[in-house]
């Protein structure tokens, strides 16, 4: 998947995560702010990296502002931001 | 020697019995007949501080009956700092988020140690990051009151805010004088009564001086040295902010309703019972859901104890609770009831919860409902340190009442946001799990294995009892297993049990990258 522009998904509501992605300067760069950083910061970055891998993204800059989202929410928001950035629309990835 | 009417009184007899003779040996302290003597009024906080003899290294105290609305502590500390007094021990009954200015006083060496029930906001955050060299000492309300009474916590000067006072220092948190405007009522001065009784010097700070006698209760003038009138002492509207707000959160209400069912079927819901509800939305709301069952089953409570709420007052006025024993008020309705209702009584911190007094009110308690930040699979409770490792609560009466009550019910959501509340091991131990009998969450009820008869009663009533390990696993299945908090080595606080022994320490928190 190639990122063509900036894509965003999510909200700043409690229990959600707001994610912005763009192509970046090569490699994967994750900038995370989280209300639960000390307990789940490592895990949130892990989940983001997993989604990037699943979507075949090797170059991306991700800015995420987390308000205690669960793993399933984080996966959905990151995947949606990636799809918006790549202008692919709904590829049906979520049905798999 | 002869007395005024010529009776012979032998000097040798007086010497032997160690008495003086009336008239000849008049005690110069005796008040003059018919004279209205000097009042205890002083012109300013500064003058009160100077006259109290406060100097470097002493211990000062305040009360937290105005909770988030308190304006006394910051006013006094500002003057103390201006006077250049340093190295003080600050020993208030508790600290709230409004006390953030203390950070500067600590940095400037005005305050070098703190003893309190709890701590919140900016100050708590700084302390958790290692602001102070001497660890903060956290005591329960009963623990503090007993430590003051037996001298382990000696207070040199107590600065006590009062809604009204007369010029002799008869001071109260309620106001009987209807002509007084701007009476900032906080209700019971229960914790402050202990300070007034035992501190070397007592300064009353009020915004209303009423004519003698102020007979509203509270602090008796014979324990008071100075009275200061200031413009404002507190905002009563903020008494019920923070930990004691009236919840509309549907999850809190659901937990409260379930907790009420647990109590009703626990075997302790009987005519003549007694109860207490601690801070926190769900805990305070339990009272509401007990009302119908009390009416239906003809159950009246003999007394309600502790932090009194408007809900408790409502039940009292409906005739469902005979007596309110009030050490502090959690809202304005409760504060005004203390003035209004003759069977609503103000009690001091030792009468409430001294761990060493077997006749303290807590030992008469049947049911207490308490909150938790975390509870672990051994039913140990943390009410002091947040999930981020930062101090954000207070011990309050938690371990006191848990130890005294026949049935201790802990209410907590299973998770808060992504934070699990039922865990393997609490980050900070405040109340021993052996004292906590039932846990009520939004996802199930667990009963301490030490209380099989309670589990049996609940099961018989159709309330499903889940092993606490299962609740912990359910929480973890939703939120995942959290990493360990990045605690450092430095101890920033001692957590004490009611008897004054150390039950845990809080270490400094290190920020992640």
């Amino acid at each position: 998947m190639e990122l063509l522009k900036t894509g965003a998904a999510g909200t700043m509501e409690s229990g959600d995560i707001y994610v912005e992605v763009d192509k970046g300067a090569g490699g994967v760069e994750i900038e995370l702010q989280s209300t639960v950083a000390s307990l789940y910061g490592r895990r949130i970055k892990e989940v983001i990296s997993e989604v990037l891998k699943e979507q075949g993204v090797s170059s991306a800059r991700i800015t995420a502002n987390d308000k205690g989202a669960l793993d399933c929410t984080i996966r959905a928001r990151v995947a949606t931001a990636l799809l918006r950035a790549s202008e692919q629309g709904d590829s049906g990835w979520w049905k798999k | 020697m002869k007395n005024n009417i010529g009776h012979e009184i032998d000097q040798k007899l007086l010497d032997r019995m160690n008495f003086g003779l009336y008239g000849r040996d008049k005690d110069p302290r005796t008040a003059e007949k018919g004279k209205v003597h000097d009042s205890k009024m002083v012109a300013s906080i500064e003058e009160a501080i100077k006259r109290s003899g406060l100097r470097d290294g002493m211990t000062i105290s305040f009360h937290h009956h105005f909770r988030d609305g308190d304006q006394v502590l910051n006013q006094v500390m500002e003057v103390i700092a201006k006077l250049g007094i340093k190295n003080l021990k600050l020993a208030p009954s508790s600290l709230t988020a409004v006390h953030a200015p203390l950070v500067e006083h600590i940095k400037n060496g005005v305050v070098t140690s703190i003893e309190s029930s709890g701590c919140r906001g900016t100050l708590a955050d700084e302390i958790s990051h290692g602001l102070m060299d001497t660890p903060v000492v956290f005591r329960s309300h009963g623990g503090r009151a007993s430590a003051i009474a037996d001298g382990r916590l000696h207070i040199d000067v107590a600065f006590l805010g009062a809604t009204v006072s007369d010029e002799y220092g008869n001071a109260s948190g309620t106001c009987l004088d209807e002509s007084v405007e701007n009476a900032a009522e906080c209700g019971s001065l229960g914790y402050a009564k202990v300070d007034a009784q035992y501190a070397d010097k007592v300064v009353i700070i009020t915004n209303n001086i009423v004519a003698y006698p102020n007979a509203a209760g509270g602090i008796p003038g014979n324990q008071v040295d100075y009275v200061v009138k200031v413009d404002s002492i507190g905002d009563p509207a903020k008494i019920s902010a923070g930990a004691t707000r009236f919840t509309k959160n549907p999850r809190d209400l659901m937990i409260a309703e379930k907790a009420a069912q647990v109590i009703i079927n626990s075997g302790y819901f009987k005519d003549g019972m007694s109860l207490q509800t601690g801070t926190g939305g769900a805990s305070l709301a339990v009272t509401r859901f007990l009302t119908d069952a009390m009416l239906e089953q003809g159950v009246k409570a003999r007394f309600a104890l502790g932090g009194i709420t408007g809900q408790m007052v409502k039940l009292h006025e409906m005739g469902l609770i005979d007596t309110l024993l009030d050490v502090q008020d959690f809202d304005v309705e409760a504060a005004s009831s203390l003035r209004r209702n003759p069977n609503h009584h103000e009690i001091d911190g030792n009468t409430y919860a001294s761990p060493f007094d077997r006749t303290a009110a807590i030992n008469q308690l049947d049911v207490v409902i308490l909150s938790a930040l975390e509870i672990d699979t051994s039913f140990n409770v943390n009410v002091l340190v947040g999930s981020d490792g930062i101090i954000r609560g207070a011990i309050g009466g938690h371990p006191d009442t848990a130890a005294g009550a026949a049935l201790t019910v802990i209410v907590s959501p299973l998770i808060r946001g992504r934070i699990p509340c039922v865990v393997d091991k609490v980050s900070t131990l405040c109340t021993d799990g052996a004292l906590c009998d039932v846990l009520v969450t939004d996802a199930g009820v667990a009963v301490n294995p030490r209380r099989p008869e309670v589990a049996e009663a609940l099961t018989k009533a159709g309330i499903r009892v889940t092993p606490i390990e299962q609740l912990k696993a359910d929480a973890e299945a939703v939120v995942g297993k959290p990493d360990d908090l990045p605690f450092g080595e430095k101890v920033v606080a001692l957590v004490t049990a009611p008897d004054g022994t150390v039950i845990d320490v809080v270490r400094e928190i290190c920020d992640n990258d």
Side-chain angles (χ1 to χ4, degrees):
Chain A
M1 181 189 283
E2 199 187 341
L3 305 183
L4 305 171
K5 59 170 194 174
T6 301
T11 70
M12 302 286 240
E13 296 296 316
S14 174
D16 203 348
I17 182 170
Y18 178 77
V19 181
E20 266 185 23
V21 300
D22 63 40
K23 193 176 173 72
V28 170
E29 198 186 323
I30 301 174
E31 194 186 305
L32 172 68
Q33 277 193 332
S34 172
T35 52
V36 292
S38 54
L39 296 173
Y40 291 103
R42 193 187 49 80
R43 175 63 190 156
I44 295 167
K45 285 182 182 172
E46 203 173 272
V47 172
I48 293 172
S49 301
E50 278 170 23
V51 178
L52 290 173
K53 214 171 183 184
E54 284 163 22
Q55 300 293 330
V57 176
S58 53
S59 172
R61 181 169 58 212
I62 315 242
T63 315
N65 194 331
D66 169 66
K67 304 285 184 189
L70 300 177
D71 284 0
C72 52
T73 311
I74 297 166
R75 298 182 68 83
R77 294 307 192 193
V78 174
T80 305
L82 289 174
L83 291 171
R84 286 172 180 164
S86 62
E87 295 187 321
Q88 282 188 7
D90 182 359
S91 63
W93 62 273
W94 48 273
K95 290 176 191 158
K96 287 175 206 163
Chain B
M1 282 298 127
K2 285 191 167 60
N3 78 351
N4 284 358
I5 57 168
H7 289 174
E8 183 62 36
I9 298 175
D10 185 16
Q11 182 60 45
K12 279 185 188 146
L13 174 72
L14 291 173
D15 291 344
R16 178 157 69 92
M17 299 301 284
N18 197 25
F19 280 90
L21 182 67
Y22 176 76
R24 186 193 67 183
D25 301 323
K26 179 178 177 175
D27 191 321
R29 294 173 303 177
T30 311
E32 225 171 286
K33 172 182 156 46
K35 184 180 171 192
V36 174
H37 284 262
D38 307 342
S39 81
K40 294 174 183 172
M41 297 291 300
V42 292
S44 63
I45 291 173
E46 182 174 331
E47 195 188 332
I49 293 167
K50 285 179 175 165
R51 289 231 223 156
S52 73
L54 184 69
R55 53 172 200 275
D56 293 3
M58 283 187 164
T59 298
I60 56 173
S61 78
F62 299 86
H63 68 68
H64 75 295
H65 290 290
F66 284 101
R67 305 193 71 89
D68 280 332
D70 176 57
Q71 295 164 357
V72 173
L73 188 145
N74 290 339
Q75 281 185 71
V76 172
M77 288 311 303
E78 205 182 307
V79 181
I80 287 175
K82 218 179 280 168
L83 290 172
I85 300 168
K86 304 269 184 194
N87 194 24
L88 295 174
K89 178 190 278 188
L90 178 69
S93 55
S94 200
L95 292 166
T96 67
V98 298
H99 299 125
L102 280 173
V103 172
E104 283 311 305
H105 299 314
I106 292 165
K107 285 181 178 164
N108 295 332
V110 179
V111 171
T112 47
S113 64
I114 292 179
E115 298 204 7
S116 177
S117 163
C119 197
R120 293 180 168 90
T122 311
L123 173 64
D125 192 89
E126 292 272 354
I127 288 169
S128 288
H129 284 91
L131 174 67
M132 303 188 73
D133 291 331
T134 305
V136 172
V137 175
F138 286 112
R139 297 185 194 270
S140 69
H141 289 323
R144 176 180 189 268
S146 64
I148 292 171
D150 66 22
R152 280 173 293 133
L153 175 52
H154 176 85
I155 297 167
D156 293 295
V157 187
F159 297 94
L160 306 175
T163 305
V164 291
S165 175
D166 60 30
E167 59 179 27
Y168 287 172
N170 293 298
S172 57
T174 58
C175 177
L176 296 174
D177 185 341
E178 282 169 12
S179 70
V180 172
E181 287 168 29
N182 308 321
E185 285 193 311
C186 64
S188 174
L189 292 178
Y191 302 131
K193 282 168 80 73
V194 180
D195 301 47
Q197 192 180 350
Y198 293 101
D200 287 348
K201 295 286 176 190
V202 175
V203 180
I204 294 293
I205 296 169
T206 183
N207 60 337
N208 285 300
I209 299 294
V210 294
Y212 177 90
N214 173 32
I219 293 163
N222 62 8
Q223 296 174 347
V224 174
D225 298 283
Y226 308 104
V227 179
V228 186
K229 185 178 182 301
V230 295
D231 291 336
S232 183
I233 53 159
D235 179 356
K238 289 186 182 157
I239 292 174
S240 63
T244 60
R245 73 198 184 283
F246 187 80
T247 189
K248 285 180 184 140
N249 179 325
R251 185 173 63 174
D252 281 350
L253 293 174
M254 178 187 162
I255 294 168
E257 193 170 4
K258 205 182 270 184
Q261 286 163 10
V262 164
I263 292 162
I264 290 162
N265 294 292
S266 65
Y268 291 94
F269 188 71
K270 285 186 270 205
D271 199 36
M273 69 179 292
S274 58
L275 82 157
Q276 175 165 354
T277 54
T279 57
S283 172
L284 293 174
V286 171
T287 321
R288 272 190 265 180
F289 295 103
L290 287 176
T291 315
D292 287 347
M294 290 179 93
L295 288 169
E296 276 164 28
Q297 300 182 28
V299 168
K300 282 185 188 173
R302 198 157 34 94
F303 69 92
L305 178 64
I308 300 298
T309 64
Q311 283 297 318
M312 293 278 193
V313 170
K314 208 185 255 174
L315 264 66
H316 175 57
E317 290 177 344
M318 286 169 75
L320 294 176
I321 300 174
D322 289 341
T323 304
L324 300 175
L325 296 180
D326 184 350
V327 72
Q328 72 174 128
D329 290 287
F330 285 161
D331 51 44
V332 181
E333 293 78 28
S336 73
S337 161
L338 180 62
R339 143 166 61 77
R340 214 171 50 235
N341 286 312
N343 227 3
H344 182 164
H345 301 284
E346 186 173 22
I347 59 169
D348 70 77
N350 278 311
T351 306
Y352 165 51
S354 168
F356 309 128
D357 181 356
R358 280 152 181 76
T359 67
I362 48 169
N363 299 312
Q364 281 277 341
L365 202 53
D366 290 318
V367 178
V368 66
I369 302 115
L370 297 167
S371 304
L373 289 171
E374 287 178 313
I375 180 166
D376 69 24
T377 49
S378 304
F379 287 82
N380 294 311
V381 172
N382 164 26
V383 284
L384 190 62
V385 179
S387 56
D388 49 6
I390 293 171
I391 297 163
R392 53 158 294 172
I395 302 178
H398 203 284
D400 304 315
T401 53
L407 183 75
T408 301
V409 179
I410 309 292
V411 288
S412 169
L414 189 69
I415 56 176
R416 288 185 176 93
R418 196 178 179 163
I419 309 298
C421 302
V422 186
V423 295
D424 273 326
K425 196 173 87 176
V426 287
S427 73
T428 307
L429 176 57
C430 298
T431 300
D432 184 354
L435 306 173
C436 302
D437 302 309
V438 183
L439 167 66
V440 179
T441 74
D442 46 344
V445 174
V447 178
N448 194 324
R450 291 164 180 271
R451 302 301 300 271
E453 81 287 6
V454 175
E456 200 188 317
L458 296 182
T459 307
K460 229 181 245 173
I463 294 172
R464 196 168 146 210
V465 175
T466 310
I468 194 165
E469 293 79 9
Q470 183 61 51
L471 293 179
K472 184 237 139 195
D474 291 348
E476 209 170 280
V478 176
V479 297
K481 201 172 173 59
D483 288 341
D484 291 335
L485 285 170
F487 284 115
E489 276 306 307
K490 181 177 176 179
V491 171
V492 299
L494 303 182
V495 186
T496 65
D499 71 356
T501 56
V502 173
I503 189 168
D504 204 354
V505 295
V506 182
R507 291 183 193 276
E508 113 187 88
I509 193 78
C510 306
D511 284 324
N512 283 9
D513 39 86

Coordinates of all heavy atoms in Angstrom, one line a residue, chain B residues 225-253:
Chain B
D225 N -7.3 30.2 71.0 CA -6.5 31.3 71.4 C -6.7 32.6 70.7 O -6.7 33.7 71.3 CB -5.0 30.9 71.3 CG -4.7 29.7 72.1 OD1 -4.5 29.9 73.3 OD2 -4.6 28.6 71.6
Y226 N -6.9 32.5 69.4 CA -7.1 33.8 68.6 C -8.2 33.6 67.6 O -8.4 32.5 67.1 CB -5.8 34.1 67.9 CG -4.6 34.2 68.8 CD1 -3.7 33.1 68.8 CD2 -4.5 35.2 69.7 CE1 -2.6 33.2 69.7 CE2 -3.4 35.3 70.6 CZ -2.5 34.2 70.6 OH -1.4 34.3 71.5
V227 N -8.9 34.7 67.2 CA -9.9 34.7 66.2 C -9.6 35.8 65.2 O -9.3 36.9 65.6 CB -11.3 34.9 66.8 CG1 -12.4 34.9 65.7 CG2 -11.6 33.9 67.9
V228 N -9.6 35.4 63.9 CA -9.3 36.4 62.9 C -10.5 36.4 61.9 O -11.0 35.4 61.5 CB -8.1 35.9 62.0 CG1 -7.7 37.0 61.0 CG2 -6.9 35.6 62.9
K229 N -10.9 37.6 61.6 CA -11.9 37.8 60.5 C -11.3 38.1 59.2 O -10.4 39.0 59.1 CB -12.9 38.9 60.9 CG -14.1 39.0 60.0 CD -15.0 40.1 60.4 CE -16.2 40.2 59.5 NZ -15.9 40.5 58.1
V230 N -11.6 37.3 58.2 CA -11.1 37.6 56.9 C -12.3 37.7 55.9 O -13.5 37.5 56.3 CB -10.2 36.4 56.4 CG1 -9.0 36.3 57.2 CG2 -11.0 35.1 56.4
D231 N -12.0 38.1 54.7 CA -13.1 38.4 53.7 C -13.8 37.1 53.3 O -15.0 37.0 53.2 CB -12.6 39.1 52.5 CG -12.1 40.5 52.8 OD1 -12.6 41.0 53.8 OD2 -11.3 41.0 52.1
S232 N -13.1 36.0 53.1 CA -13.7 34.8 52.6 C -12.9 33.6 53.1 O -11.6 33.6 53.1 CB -13.7 34.8 51.1 OG -14.3 33.7 50.6
I233 N -13.6 32.5 53.4 CA -12.9 31.3 53.9 C -13.1 30.1 53.0 O -12.4 29.1 53.1 CB -13.3 30.9 55.4 CG1 -14.9 30.8 55.4 CG2 -12.8 31.9 56.4 CD1 -15.3 30.0 56.6
G234 N -14.2 30.1 52.2 CA -14.4 28.9 51.4 C -15.7 29.1 50.6 O -16.6 29.9 50.9
D235 N -15.7 28.3 49.6 CA -16.9 28.3 48.7 C -17.7 27.0 48.9 O -17.2 25.9 48.4 CB -16.4 28.3 47.2 CG -17.5 28.3 46.2 OD1 -18.7 28.2 46.6 OD2 -17.2 28.4 45.0
P236 N -18.8 27.1 49.6 CA -19.5 25.8 50.0 C -20.0 25.1 48.7 O -20.3 23.9 48.8 CB -20.7 26.3 50.9 CG -20.7 27.8 50.7 CD -19.4 28.3 50.2
A237 N -20.2 25.8 47.6 CA -20.7 25.1 46.4 C -19.7 24.1 46.0 O -20.1 23.1 45.3 CB -20.9 26.1 45.3
K238 N -18.4 24.2 46.4 CA -17.4 23.2 45.9 C -17.2 22.1 46.9 O -16.3 21.3 46.7 CB -16.1 24.0 45.6 CG -16.2 24.8 44.4 CD -14.9 25.4 44.0 CE -15.0 26.3 42.8 NZ -13.9 27.3 42.7
I239 N -18.0 22.1 48.0 CA -17.8 21.0 49.0 C -18.1 19.7 48.3 O -17.4 18.7 48.5 CB -18.7 21.2 50.2 CG1 -18.3 22.4 51.0 CG2 -18.7 19.9 51.1 CD1 -19.2 22.7 52.1
S240 N -19.1 19.7 47.4 CA -19.5 18.4 46.8 C -18.9 18.2 45.5 O -19.3 17.4 44.7 CB -21.0 18.3 46.8 OG -21.5 19.3 45.9
A241 N -17.9 19.0 45.1 CA -17.2 18.8 43.9 C -16.2 17.6 44.1 O -16.0 17.2 45.2 CB -16.4 20.0 43.5
G242 N -15.5 17.2 43.1 CA -14.5 16.2 43.3 C -15.1 14.8 43.7 O -16.0 14.3 43.2
A243 N -14.5 14.3 44.8 CA -14.8 12.9 45.2 C -16.2 12.7 45.7 O -16.6 11.6 45.9 CB -13.8 12.5 46.3
T244 N -16.9 13.8 46.0 CA -18.2 13.6 46.6 C -19.4 14.0 45.7 O -20.5 14.3 46.2 CB -18.3 14.3 48.0 OG1 -18.1 15.7 47.7 CG2 -17.3 13.8 48.9
R245 N -19.2 14.1 44.5 CA -20.2 14.6 43.6 C -21.4 13.6 43.5 O -21.3 12.4 43.8 CB -19.7 14.9 42.2 CG -19.4 13.6 41.4 CD -18.5 13.7 40.3 NE -18.4 12.5 39.6 CZ -17.7 11.5 40.0 NH1 -16.9 11.5 41.1 NH2 -17.6 10.3 39.3
F246 N -22.6 14.2 43.1 CA -23.8 13.4 43.0 C -23.8 12.8 41.6 O -23.9 13.6 40.6 CB -25.0 14.3 43.3 CG -26.3 13.6 43.3 CD1 -26.7 13.0 44.5 CD2 -27.1 13.6 42.3 CE1 -27.9 12.4 44.6 CE2 -28.3 13.0 42.3 CZ -28.7 12.4 43.5
T247 N -23.7 11.5 41.5 CA -23.5 10.9 40.1 C -24.7 10.8 39.3 O -25.8 10.6 39.8 CB -22.8 9.6 40.2 OG1 -22.4 9.2 38.9 CG2 -23.8 8.5 40.8
K248 N -24.6 11.1 38.0 CA -25.6 10.7 37.0 C -25.1 9.7 36.0 O -25.8 9.3 35.1 CB -26.0 12.0 36.2 CG -26.8 12.9 37.1 CD -27.2 14.2 36.3 CE -27.9 15.2 37.1 NZ -27.5 16.6 36.9
N249 N -23.9 9.2 36.3 CA -23.2 8.2 35.4 C -24.0 6.9 35.5 O -24.1 6.3 36.6 CB -21.8 8.1 35.9 CG -21.0 7.0 35.1 OD1 -21.6 6.0 34.7 ND2 -19.8 7.3 34.9
P250 N -24.5 6.4 34.4 CA -25.4 5.3 34.4 C -24.7 4.0 34.9 O -25.3 3.1 35.6 CB -25.9 5.1 33.0 CG -25.0 5.9 32.1 CD -24.5 7.0 33.0
R251 N -23.4 3.9 34.6 CA -22.6 2.8 35.1 C -22.5 2.8 36.7 O -22.7 1.8 37.3 CB -21.2 2.7 34.5 CG -20.5 1.4 34.9 CD -19.2 1.2 34.2 NE -18.3 2.3 34.5 CZ -17.0 2.4 34.1 NH1 -16.6 1.4 33.3 NH2 -16.3 3.4 34.4
D252 N -22.2 4.0 37.2 CA -22.2 4.2 38.7 C -23.5 3.8 39.3 O -23.5 3.1 40.3 CB -21.8 5.6 39.0 CG -20.3 5.9 38.9 OD1 -19.6 4.9 38.7 OD2 -19.9 7.1 39.0
L253 N -24.6 4.2 38.6 CA -25.9 4.0 39.2 C -26.2 2.5 39.2 O -26.8 1.9 40.1 CB -27.0 4.8 38.4 CG -26.9 6.3 38.6 CD1 -27.9 7.0 37.7 CD2 -27.1 6.7 40.1

